[in-house]
Amino acid sequence: MGQKVLIVDDHADIRRLVRLTLGKSYEVFEAEDGVTALETAQRERPAVVVLDVMMPGALDGFQVLKAIKSDPDLKSTKVIMATARGQFEDYKTGKSMGADEYVIKPFSPIRLAGMIKEFVG
Amino acid sequence: MSRMIHPLRFTACMRALLLPLSIVAAFVFTGKVGLMFAHGEGYDASGLFPPAGIALACALVYGKRAWPWIFLGSLLLNISTGFSSLSVTILGLAVALGLAGASLLQATIGAWIFRNTIGYPLVLTSGWLVSRFIFSTLAACLVSASLSLGILMAAGRASLETLPFSWLTWYVGDSLGVILALPLTMTLIGEPRILWRSSRLKLWALIGFGLIVLGALTHRVNVWEKEQALAEFRVQSQQIGDLLLYRLTEQEFLVSQLAALMAGTTPISRQEFSRIASNARAHFKASIQAIEWAPRIENSGRTAFELRQQQDFPKFVIQERNATGNPVVAASRSDYLPVSYVEPVSGNEVAVGFDLASNSSRRITIEAARRTAAPVATPPLKLVQERGSQQGLLLVNWVPGGANGPGLTLVVLRLSDFINGVVADSDPHSMVRLVDADAGNAVLHDGFRGTRPGMWTERQFNFGGRHYTLQIAPTTTYLTVHRAWQSWWLLAGGLSLLGMLSISFLLLSAHAVRMEEMVTERTLDLDSARRSAEQASNLLREAVESIAQGFSIYDPDDRLVLCNDAYLDFHGTNRDEMRFGITFEEFSRCTAQSGQYEAAKGRVEEWVAERVEQHRRAGGEVIQQQLANGHWLMILEYRTPSGYIAANHIDITALKMVTEELRQRELYLRAVIDNLPFMFWLKDTDSRFLAVNTHFSDACGLSAPEQMIGRTDLDIWPRALAEQYRADDRKVMEGRSEKSLEEPIETNGRRHWIETFKKPVVADDGKMLGIVGFARDITERKEMEEALAESRERWELAVAGANDGIWDWNPVTGEAYFSPRWKAMLGYADDEISAHFDEWKSRIHPEDAARVMLDLRGHMTGETGNFQCEFRMRCRDGRYKWILSRGRALLDGQGKPVRVTGSSTDTTARHDAEARISDRNEQLNAIFSVSPDGFVSFDRNHRVKYVSPAFLRLTALNEASVVGLGEEEFSKRLRRICLPHASFRGIEHLRHAGDQQVGRELIELSAPCHRVLEIGLRQSDAETVSQILYFRDVTHETEVDRMKSEFLATAAHELRTPMASIFGFSELLLCQEFDEETRRELVETIHRQSGLITAIVNELLDLARIEARRGKDFMFEPLSLGNLVEVAAGLYKVPPGRNPPLIHAPDVSLHIMADSIKTQQAVTNLISNAYKYSPAGGDVSIRFVTRQEGARALAGIEISDQGIGMTPAQVAHVFERFYRADTSGKIPGTGLGMSIVKEIVEIQNGHVDVQSTLGQGTTVTIWLPLGTLTDDISNPEQAS
């Protein structure tokens, strides 16, 4: 088993897409809301988190990002924001909060896989 | 007023006019009478010309006064005689004027000669004087004769050859006129009266008789002379008549011969006719105008005739004369008599073609000619060829037929030419007049030329079947040549004789008168002397006795010679006891001793000595003595020139009493006048003081009023001043008018002003008694006025530039002064407003008047320090002007206003401006009050000057807390109510943020509620405003903007999510190998997500369309609710394994007005949601409900499920777009369905209710208004 990757998205199709793209090279976890995502991240300490922004529940993507980046245990965790919010403001917010990459839906799953591979090394 | 002349004045006028009128009348009348003795015509001198004598007499007696009337009389005489034979011309008038001048000159010179040779009053009492009178007359009369004939010569009215004769007759006529008429005139007006009047009757009788005899004689001789002259003339006129008749008979012969010729068998051509006729004209020496042939032409032959004649006269046409006498083509008639042959043609062209039958007078003659077959003459007529004013005559002869056809032969005569031709040959001394007796004595020829000759011969004759009268008179030339001198010599001699007779008579009568006078005078003198002496003596006696006073006369030896009873009575004695011859001293002593005189009691001798001394002095002094009986005597004694002493004793007891009373009164009066608060004086008519009061005597520098009595102003004042006063007095007395004046007087080096009032004192009978005067020192008032005037002038100068008007009012008199500028301000010229306060008061606007007068009164009673009031005044054109009036009252010592002076300023312009500003302010305020935008304006110092109501409303700031703040303070104040993240950055920032003019900024307010305001800054160029901040509430716009961008973001997000699946999976499918099952699964996902995108896009479009159309594409129709739901349910494909919706049919049939398709969509959406959100199954049921909501009834479609349900929080978001209760993504949906439902229902005036319980299910009800066809729902416009 390879590195851990956490996929956070409220849409099952997207989670499935990312999982399919990454294939067997990574240990893939899924979360469909912010709270679950943060719990999973803190528990599994994934190398990469693919994080949606707009999600139901108490925490949205940015809050999760903030929490991850402020968690010393998750210092090495790279976060790729994958969101349907395409405005430049969102991109800026994400970057300023420490997102390592920011992709806008619809994205190329091949390129996302490339990004993750790069982060994992 | 009637313009009647006062009868007295009228009489005076008459009297004043009587003399001139008499002169003029006498002049003209006697002149006319004198001319009866004349020996010739016109201006020819008369044998006796009395006017010359009248003129000389008037000039002698009245001098220059008589000149105009002599001139006028002479002029009238000359005009009346001179113009009888001359037409009134300028020259004639000039001649008449000249002759009148000559007459006047002769009269003047004659009078001068008379005064210097005989003297005036004219006394002809000696032969020597009479001869001087004759010579003077002969000398004076040279003037008029010479001058007048000179004038007539110059005017061409006298010939040189007759000059000596004319001069002589003129001269003799004038001389005789003077010799006869002058004495006659003198008897009427001359001096010495006694001489002339006494001989008046006799002289007039003598001369009158002489003239009658002479007149009769002269007349006889004249008649004889004329007979002589006429005898010769008759022969001559007989010859002239014969000749004229002969010549006329020749014409008859000529015309009948021509007729015979034309009636002959030979056709006569124009040329032949001309030849024959011209021969005839030459043969008959008389002047013939024309000989003519006029054939008779039938109307049928007119054109042919005209054409034939046109060969000779190209313009020939048969003509007639129209009403104005102009030739016109003859009207169509049955036949014509056109003149066709004319000899000579020259001068008669106009007659060619003239139809003789066209003229009625000619036609009558022609008819006569036809009947008689002899020559017939027409009445006098105007020939068609006549250019002058001569009368014409046609002599016609009818030609019944022959070689030349029927027609007329004519001889045309211009009668004056004809007669002059005949008479001139024979005699230039005759004048001929020819009259047609058959035509009412119409004059055919007038050789008399308007004159009326003294005689003429007359002769009747027939010609051309008519009767004529021929008159022949001698010409002036004839008469001159045949003048006879016998009568003239007789007249001249007779008149001379008469003149001599009358003068001799005068001489005699004057002498007699003188003698008689002397005798009468002496006799009268003696008689009257005797009578008066007797009378005087009687009178004296009677007088002495009758007088009530005592009267006495003592002789030079002082003995009593005469006294009356009263005298004796006063002395206590009577005639019986009295003896004449007693001396005054003895008599006085007796009387004194008898105790008669009070003053003598106890001192008889002393008193007697006193009286004797007084008596001898007899200087007319007044001596008063009281008698024992209490009576008072006044004794006046005076010495006569012969040394007698006359004495009057008058009882003055009554007088004494009256005097005493008068003295009392005088004392009272004096007390009164001395206490008058002004100077008072009374003067007699000579301006001597009769009474004055102490004020006046003080003012004159005299110690007592009595010192003034009898004095005049000359004694008191400097001469110039005194003269002036006296002149004033005279003016007052003469004018009987009062006079009031103010004048300065220098006294002791100080100038005083004195107001004087003088009034004449007139007795009841209108007699002037004197003059009364009052005066007072008004120096103080005057100085005050002068000071006022001076200050007013200064003020006027000062305010002249300021355009202010000045007024100055004297409230005591009501007089007022208004400066020209003041008047001009109201549009008046300087003289159009009188100097009275009412002029000011009456022009105040009625609405302002009460207020103004209140203010003015307030100031005048001292309530206010200054009068200042603004009000409207009426201008000349009726408009009103705003006037600011300021003034101040000048108070006298008692605090009473004596003057109020002030200025007026025209403030209309300011008022108008204020009104405009106020109006504008109101408008702006109105605008500001309704404007949703707030404004804050800053003044030039960048301090808040004004804040609008909207600003205060938006910011909930207090006006007082903002106005007056500086820019920075204001910014701070605003920041306090801003949200920190959208605070106001300050005006300075705004100024730099924007371009030069406008800067903008958005701020968000925390108080009074959340508001987003847009602030703009506008720099201003206005004088009082430097900049304006405006505040616009953009909360709503901002919110809409925010929602829009949020919606866009959401929509994008919702699309991106399924897109991510499609894009991602398809990329995977392209790049990786998958087993068939996975592959299929992935493609299915792609397909499903594509479907989702399509649904989203469709619903977005639906929503967009619904929103954009706002119901405009809704087709409202009556729908049955049951049907609607059934159709909608049928459209929905129930998921497999689920029961179709359970529809509970309604109890009654419910109808709504709604769009069928849209409402079905809404219902379908809800059914779809019901199934979707009840994944665990359970029934979906549909019910129908109704509800009354206020005035309207609603029908509801209630759709219930037994699904997952929602929390209240979720229910709150249920209508938000893209909101989905399901976040798992397991339930497909766009999140737009409910939004669409809501839009559709609300557009149809309904609403949507959502009831939901988490885990139990949801019920959604669509409420729509129950409707009928007639409901307002049927109107979609209203419904929307």
Side-chain angles (χ1 to χ4, degrees):
Chain A
M1 275 312 243
Q3 297 281 334
K4 292 178 180 173
V5 174
L6 172 60
I7 302 166
V8 188
D9 201 306
D10 57 340
H11 284 90
D13 285 345
I14 302 299
R15 292 199 301 273
R16 174 127 194 266
L17 176 67
V18 177
R19 184 185 282 277
L20 267 175
T21 308
L22 294 178
K24 313 283 185 211
S25 336
Y26 301 93
E27 189 178 355
V28 176
F29 300 90
E30 292 182 25
E32 58 180 283
D33 59 72
V35 177
T36 318
L38 194 58
E39 279 170 9
T40 311
Q42 281 164 346
R43 188 178 68 237
E44 301 296 338
R45 301 187 182 193
V48 178
V49 180
V50 178
L51 185 60
D52 186 14
V53 177
M54 286 159 70
M55 286 180 299
L59 296 174
D60 71 3
F62 287 128
Q63 286 163 316
V64 174
L65 170 67
K66 203 173 169 186
I68 290 171
K69 283 294 167 188
S70 57
D71 190 340
D73 293 341
L74 298 172
K75 240 197 240 158
S76 61
T77 302
K78 303 284 181 191
V79 180
I80 298 172
M81 302 298 289
T83 171
R85 294 177 69 132
Q87 277 95 336
F88 186 64
E89 282 79 19
D90 298 324
Y91 172 78
K92 269 203 315 198
T93 312
K95 276 295 199 186
S96 68
M97 292 169 93
D100 296 287
E101 267 308 340
Y102 195 99
V103 295
I104 295 168
K105 291 177 185 172
F107 54 85
S108 162
I110 308 298
R111 238 191 98 228
L112 181 71
M115 276 179 206
I116 294 169
K117 195 173 177 189
E118 204 171 299
F119 282 138
V120 172
Chain B
M1 287 286 289
S2 77
R3 293 172 139 259
M4 291 223 346
I5 298 171
H6 192 274
L8 270 176
R9 263 177 63 200
F10 181 70
T11 318
C13 286
M14 286 303 292
R15 206 173 299 148
L17 276 172
L18 198 62
L19 170 70
L21 286 174
S22 309
I23 295 176
V24 173
F27 212 101
V28 176
F29 174 73
T30 58
K32 286 282 186 188
V33 170
L35 285 172
M36 282 163 43
F37 293 92
H39 199 256
E41 293 280 319
Y43 285 118
D44 230 340
S46 149
L48 171 64
F49 193 64
I54 295 171
L56 213 161
C58 290
L60 190 60
V61 174
Y62 298 117
K64 285 180 188 171
R65 266 198 299 151
W67 290 2
W69 312 110
I70 295 170
F71 185 82
L72 184 64
S74 176
L75 184 65
L76 288 174
L77 179 64
N78 284 320
I79 288 172
S80 67
T81 56
F83 285 118
S84 64
S85 60
L86 289 168
S87 53
V88 182
T89 58
I90 301 281
L91 184 62
L93 193 64
V95 167
L97 282 167
L99 297 187
S103 292
L104 176 60
L105 193 62
Q106 172 169 289
T108 312
I109 290 174
W112 181 80
I113 294 174
F114 270 61
R115 278 175 185 273
N116 283 290
T117 54
I118 313 168
Y120 186 79
L122 194 61
V123 182
L124 299 177
T125 47
S126 67
W128 176 229
L129 286 171
V130 169
S131 58
R132 273 198 269 183
F133 169 76
I134 306 275
F135 284 118
S136 297
T137 302
L138 294 176
C141 290
L142 291 168
V143 176
S144 178
S146 310
L147 264 181
S148 299
L149 280 164
I151 290 165
L152 287 172
M153 283 284 287
R157 299 272 163 86
S159 61
L160 195 58
E161 50 195 81
T162 57
L163 186 65
F165 166 74
S166 296
W167 188 88
L168 188 63
T169 48
W170 198 300
Y171 177 65
V172 170
D174 273 11
S175 300
L176 291 174
V178 171
I179 287 171
L180 285 175
L182 189 128
L184 285 177
T185 312
M186 290 305 276
T187 61
L188 296 173
I189 59 170
E191 297 281 351
R193 237 158 232 261
I194 186 147
L195 184 69
W196 291 109
R197 295 295 193 287
S198 65
S199 47
R200 186 195 294 172
L201 275 176
K202 289 169 193 162
L203 191 61
W204 278 79
L206 175 68
I207 292 177
F209 177 74
L211 281 178
I212 290 166
V213 170
L214 203 53
L217 261 174
T218 312
H219 183 70
R220 288 295 306 163
V221 174
N222 243 329
V223 169
W224 175 78
E225 274 176 0
K226 276 193 179 164
E227 284 300 321
Q228 286 299 106
L230 281 178
E232 225 171 293
F233 176 73
R234 282 210 183 84
V235 176
Q236 279 187 10
S237 66
Q238 182 68 36
Q239 285 171 358
I240 292 167
D242 289 351
L243 183 57
L244 199 60
L245 278 179
Y246 177 64
R247 292 287 183 227
L248 284 170
T249 317
E250 275 181 349
Q251 306 308 317
E252 287 179 335
F253 177 68
L254 172 57
V255 79
S256 61
Q257 284 304 300
L258 276 173
L261 181 66
M262 296 310 279
T265 50
T266 325
I268 305 294
S269 70
R270 188 183 297 279
Q271 286 73 25
E272 276 173 301
F273 184 85
S274 279
R275 189 174 45 76
I276 293 163
S278 74
N279 281 344
R281 284 184 77 224
H283 177 74
F284 300 117
K285 283 175 188 156
S287 169
I288 298 171
Q289 173 68 24
I291 299 168
E292 296 172 346
W293 162 244
R296 180 172 176 275
I297 305 296
E298 299 280 340
N299 193 31
S300 55
R302 175 179 179 169
T303 315
F305 172 75
E306 280 178 342
L307 284 172
R308 220 164 38 246
Q309 295 303 317
Q310 278 165 11
Q311 289 170 357
D312 292 324
F313 295 100
K315 285 180 183 168
F316 185 93
V317 67
I318 300 178
Q319 312 161 3
E320 60 189 36
R321 293 292 183 266
N322 63 9
T324 53
N326 290 322
V328 293
V329 174
S332 182
R333 275 186 290 277
S334 63
D335 58 349
Y336 308 90
L337 277 169
V339 176
S340 47
Y341 294 175
V342 180
E343 173 61 28
V345 173
S346 167
N348 296 303
E349 293 90 342
V350 290
V352 177
F354 177 66
D355 176 17
L356 295 166
S358 67
N359 179 290
S360 62
S361 69
R362 286 172 175 81
R363 209 155 49 223
I364 291 163
T365 310
I366 292 164
E367 284 305 316
R370 241 178 175 161
R371 279 195 306 275
T372 57
V376 176
T378 61
L381 47 77
K382 189 173 167 70
L383 298 174
V384 288
Q385 51 267 66
E386 180 60 51
R387 291 282 171 267
S389 57
Q390 288 193 27
Q391 292 292 331
L393 187 148
L394 304 181
L395 189 63
V396 304
N397 205 331
W398 179 251
V399 178
N404 296 292
L408 276 180
T409 52
L410 299 93
V411 169
V412 182
L413 298 178
R414 288 175 86 218
L415 280 159
S416 294
D417 284 357
F418 183 81
I419 293 170
N420 285 340
V422 175
V423 176
D425 285 348
S426 59
D427 190 356
H429 291 158
S430 303
M431 300 185 291
V432 176
R433 204 154 91 127
L434 185 62
V435 174
D436 187 336
D438 290 344
N441 281 334
V443 178
L444 280 161
H445 168 74
D446 189 7
F448 293 2
R449 288 181 291 277
T451 59
R452 292 178 62 83
M455 64 132 319
W456 65 82
T457 61
E458 247 182 39
R459 183 162 175 184
Q460 268 83 28
F461 64 90
N462 290 350
F463 167 66
R466 298 181 76 86
H467 298 87
Y468 294 88
T469 306
L470 182 68
Q471 298 169 337
I472 302 172
T475 60
T476 318
T477 323
Y478 176 90
L479 290 174
T480 311
V481 169
H482 293 81
R483 192 192 302 273
W485 288 96
Q486 291 87 340
S487 65
W488 190 80
W489 284 118
L490 177 75
L491 186 65
L495 288 172
S496 304
L497 193 63
L498 190 58
M500 297 317 280
L501 261 174
S502 64
I503 288 164
S504 306
F505 168 77
L506 272 178
L507 203 57
L508 284 173
S509 69
H511 192 67
V513 164
R514 239 177 33 169
M515 292 305 291
E516 200 176 313
E517 232 170 60
M518 279 166 69
V519 172
T520 316
E521 266 171 29
R522 288 307 289 269
T523 316
L524 280 174
D525 278 356
L526 283 174
D527 272 4
S528 72
R530 186 162 44 77
R531 266 200 303 277
S532 33
E534 278 171 17
Q535 274 174 356
S537 140
N538 286 341
L539 263 173
L540 183 63
R541 239 192 331 273
E542 284 166 21
V544 167
E545 278 312 314
S546 65
I547 49 181
Q549 303 169 0
F551 182 78
S552 63
I553 296 175
Y554 288 82
D555 67 11
D557 297 333
D558 228 358
R559 289 176 189 284
L560 182 66
V561 290
L562 181 83
C563 69
N564 63 1
D565 290 345
Y567 179 77
L568 296 173
D569 196 33
F570 285 144
H571 287 84
T573 180
N574 53 47
R575 274 189 197 276
D576 300 337
E577 295 169 11
M578 182 65 201
R579 72 182 161 85
F580 284 92
I582 190 169
T583 66
F584 178 76
E585 194 177 344
E586 287 165 355
F587 188 50
S588 298
R589 189 172 292 120
C590 286
T591 318
Q593 280 164 354
S594 70
Q596 185 69 10
Y597 286 101
E598 282 293 312
K601 280 183 179 164
R603 50 186 280 272
V604 172
E605 279 313 311
E606 225 173 304
W607 182 84
V608 170
E610 245 173 64
R611 279 295 291 127
V612 169
E613 205 209 321
Q614 286 168 344
H615 177 77
R616 296 223 171 113
R617 214 162 44 231
E621 69 191 289
V622 175
I623 301 157
Q624 295 189 4
Q625 295 286 341
Q626 193 176 18
L627 297 183
N629 59 7
H631 282 234
W632 278 87
L633 275 187
M634 184 178 80
I635 304 166
L636 284 168
E637 291 167 310
Y638 41 87
R639 196 179 286 275
T640 66
S642 47
Y644 289 77
I645 293 168
N648 271 324
H649 290 65
I650 303 159
D651 187 340
I652 55 163
T653 316
L655 187 69
K656 251 319 209 205
M657 281 163 68
V658 172
T659 312
E660 197 60 30
E661 203 176 313
L662 273 177
R663 266 196 53 185
Q664 278 293 331
R665 282 214 193 159
E666 200 186 25
L667 277 175
Y668 287 136
L669 194 63
R670 170 132 315 273
V672 170
I673 63 172
D674 279 349
N675 283 305
L676 288 175
F678 42 76
M679 292 173 250
F680 166 84
W681 67 89
L682 181 66
K683 290 180 185 173
D684 65 12
T685 49
D686 292 330
S687 284
R688 265 193 298 274
F689 288 103
L690 295 175
V692 303
N693 68 357
T694 45
H695 283 295
F696 187 59
S697 59
D698 288 353
C700 297
L702 294 172
S703 54
E706 290 75 25
Q707 289 178 305
M708 300 281 293
I709 309 303
R711 296 204 189 190
T712 65
D713 288 309
L714 289 166
D715 302 326
I716 296 160
W717 308 110
R719 189 165 185 84
L721 191 59
E723 289 294 352
Q724 187 199 323
Y725 287 160
R726 290 167 67 84
D728 284 348
D729 290 350
R730 276 196 297 279
K731 236 181 266 172
V732 169
M733 285 188 282
E734 281 162 17
R736 299 201 171 214
S737 60
E738 296 170 4
K739 178 174 172 133
S740 162
L741 78 162
E742 294 178 358
E743 58 192 341
I745 289 178
E746 294 280 349
T747 315
N748 305 332
R750 204 182 150 222
R751 200 161 72 134
H752 282 272
W753 274 92
I754 305 292
E755 182 184 42
T756 312
F757 176 75
K758 291 182 176 179
K759 185 179 175 177
V761 182
V762 183
D764 292 342
D765 60 0
K767 197 180 151 206
M768 180 60 61
L769 298 178
I771 182 166
V772 67
F774 308 92
R776 57 176 172 161
D777 192 330
I778 53 160
T779 313
E780 204 178 328
R781 196 195 85 202
K782 206 68 188 170
E783 280 170 356
M784 196 193 270
E785 279 179 1
E786 273 174 15
L788 260 177
E790 200 182 314
S791 70
R792 186 170 80 196
E793 276 163 30
R794 272 206 303 268
W795 189 14
E796 251 177 69
L797 277 177
V799 297
N803 254 351
D804 281 4
I806 300 300
W807 48 267
D808 180 5
W809 168 42
N810 183 338
V812 182
T813 62
E815 280 171 54
Y817 163 81
F818 303 107
S819 73
R821 174 61 208 144
W822 188 93
K823 296 169 186 170
M825 210 180 269
L826 298 180
Y828 288 94
D830 200 17
D831 55 355
E832 284 184 310
I833 288 193
S834 71
H836 201 275
F837 177 63
D838 287 345
E839 298 275 13
W840 185 80
K841 193 176 161 188
S842 64
R843 285 187 170 74
I844 301 174
H845 193 286
E847 290 170 17
D848 298 343
R851 172 171 60 85
V852 174
M853 295 320 288
L854 200 66
D855 279 6
L856 186 58
R857 216 165 292 133
H859 173 61
M860 283 167 67
T861 51
E863 283 169 32
T864 52
N866 276 308
F867 166 65
Q868 174 153 350
C869 194
E870 200 162 5
F871 50 87
R872 286 160 289 178
M873 285 197 99
R874 193 176 62 253
C875 296
R876 195 173 188 276
D877 57 10
R879 285 185 301 124
Y880 281 91
K881 268 189 177 176
W882 276 98
I883 300 291
L884 172 62
S885 204
R886 282 174 290 217
R888 206 186 170 98
L890 187 74
L891 307 179
D892 66 3
Q894 285 85 49
K896 269 177 63 186
V898 287
R899 298 293 276 268
V900 189
T901 308
S903 67
S904 291
T905 315
D906 183 352
T907 56
T908 311
R910 180 168 64 79
H911 266 272
D912 288 353
E914 278 175 5
R916 275 200 299 278
I917 287 168
S918 156
D919 187 40
R920 200 172 160 74
N921 266 348
E922 270 174 35
Q923 285 185 22
L924 283 176
N925 283 341
I927 291 169
F928 282 145
S929 68
V930 297
S931 166
D933 294 349
F935 294 91
V936 176
S937 68
F938 289 79
D939 64 12
R940 277 281 142 214
N941 299 320
H942 292 265
R943 294 197 167 273
V944 174
K945 185 178 166 129
Y946 173 78
V947 290
S948 78
F951 170 79
L952 299 175
R953 186 161 32 79
L954 288 174
T955 57
L957 288 173
N958 182 344
E959 181 175 2
S961 70
V962 181
V963 171
L965 294 182
E967 272 184 18
E968 204 41 54
E969 294 162 309
F970 177 77
S971 301
K972 267 187 198 164
R973 184 74 193 79
L974 201 57
R975 253 174 240 140
R976 259 193 264 165
I977 53 167
C978 285
L979 287 171
H981 70 271
S983 187
F984 183 48
R985 275 182 287 186
I987 294 166
E988 193 59 27
H989 183 265
L990 264 179
R991 198 170 293 138
H992 295 299
D995 52 39
Q996 293 294 29
Q997 283 295 316
V998 189
R1000 277 172 210 283
E1001 185 177 338
L1002 284 182
I1003 60 165
E1004 284 181 44
L1005 299 186
S1006 58
C1009 58
H1010 176 258
R1011 270 208 181 99
V1012 183
L1013 299 184
E1014 182 186 79
I1015 304 182
L1017 176 71
R1018 182 171 283 275
Q1019 304 289 344
S1020 163
D1021 293 331
E1023 238 171 67
T1024 53
V1025 181
S1026 58
Q1027 58 195 10
I1028 292 173
L1029 276 182
Y1030 69 85
F1031 295 77
R1032 174 166 295 168
D1033 187 347
V1034 293
T1035 315
H1036 180 69
E1037 286 94 320
T1038 317
E1039 184 62 20
V1040 168
D1041 278 355
R1042 190 189 61 76
M1043 281 167 69
K1044 255 187 206 159
S1045 57
E1046 200 176 84
F1047 171 75
L1048 273 175
T1050 313
H1053 177 256
E1054 292 302 321
L1055 285 168
R1056 279 175 196 280
T1057 304
M1059 206 92 94
S1061 299
I1062 296 166
F1063 188 82
F1065 286 120
S1066 55
E1067 191 177 83
L1068 281 184
L1069 282 169
L1070 284 171
C1071 300
Q1072 292 183 17
E1073 292 299 323
F1074 294 103
D1075 56 69
E1076 190 53 31
E1077 191 189 343
T1078 310
R1079 191 182 168 82
R1080 185 177 173 77
E1081 204 180 311
L1082 293 184
V1083 171
E1084 266 175 18
T1085 306
I1086 289 171
H1087 178 256
R1088 194 179 65 244
Q1089 295 296 347
S1090 300
L1092 182 60
I1093 286 178
T1094 308
I1096 290 174
V1097 168
N1098 282 343
E1099 289 188 346
L1100 272 177
L1101 287 175
D1102 277 351
L1103 200 59
R1105 193 167 59 241
I1106 292 165
E1107 275 198 340
R1109 305 290 301 184
R1110 300 294 315 160
K1112 293 221 168 64
D1113 56 346
F1114 277 52
M1115 305 280 293
F1116 285 83
E1117 54 187 323
L1119 297 175
S1120 160
L1121 227 47
N1123 287 351
L1124 180 90
V1125 170
E1126 267 172 39
V1127 172
L1131 284 174
Y1132 181 70
K1133 190 163 165 270
V1134 178
R1138 301 286 298 264
N1139 293 325
L1142 199 65
I1143 300 171
H1144 300 271
D1147 300 337
V1148 290
S1149 167
L1150 294 171
H1151 282 86
I1152 55 164
M1153 286 296 294
D1155 183 293
S1156 155
I1157 308 274
K1158 300 283 192 313
T1159 316
Q1160 280 166 20
Q1161 187 185 351
V1163 174
T1164 309
N1165 277 4
L1166 291 179
I1167 294 171
S1168 157
N1169 275 357
Y1171 280 98
K1172 271 199 279 187
Y1173 291 96
S1174 53
D1179 283 336
V1180 171
S1181 59
I1182 300 175
R1183 286 190 182 76
F1184 298 96
V1185 288
T1186 56
R1187 187 168 93 183
Q1188 196 66 29
E1189 198 171 75
R1192 56 183 203 155
L1194 295 172
I1197 305 164
E1198 193 183 275
I1199 298 159
S1200 309
D1201 64 57
Q1202 294 164 351
I1204 58 175
M1206 288 178 285
T1207 63
Q1210 285 175 314
V1211 172
H1213 291 287
V1214 79
F1215 293 116
E1216 280 177 23
R1217 284 153 196 201
F1218 300 111
Y1219 177 82
R1220 298 190 59 203
D1222 165 58
T1223 55
S1224 67
K1226 286 176 197 120
I1227 301 170
T1230 59
L1232 292 168
M1234 285 302 277
S1235 294
I1236 291 171
V1237 170
K1238 184 171 184 265
E1239 290 287 343
I1240 289 172
V1241 172
E1242 287 184 357
I1243 280 171
Q1244 300 189 97
N1245 280 344
H1247 57 87
V1248 186
D1249 270 358
V1250 180
Q1251 308 284 329
S1252 186
T1253 312
L1254 192 65
Q1256 293 189 1
T1258 303
T1259 300
V1260 180
T1261 315
I1262 293 175
W1263 290 103
L1264 285 167
L1266 255 177
T1268 63
L1269 282 173
T1270 53
D1271 270 349
D1272 61 351
I1273 293 292
S1274 66
N1275 190 339
E1277 287 302 321
Q1278 278 181 14
S1280 63

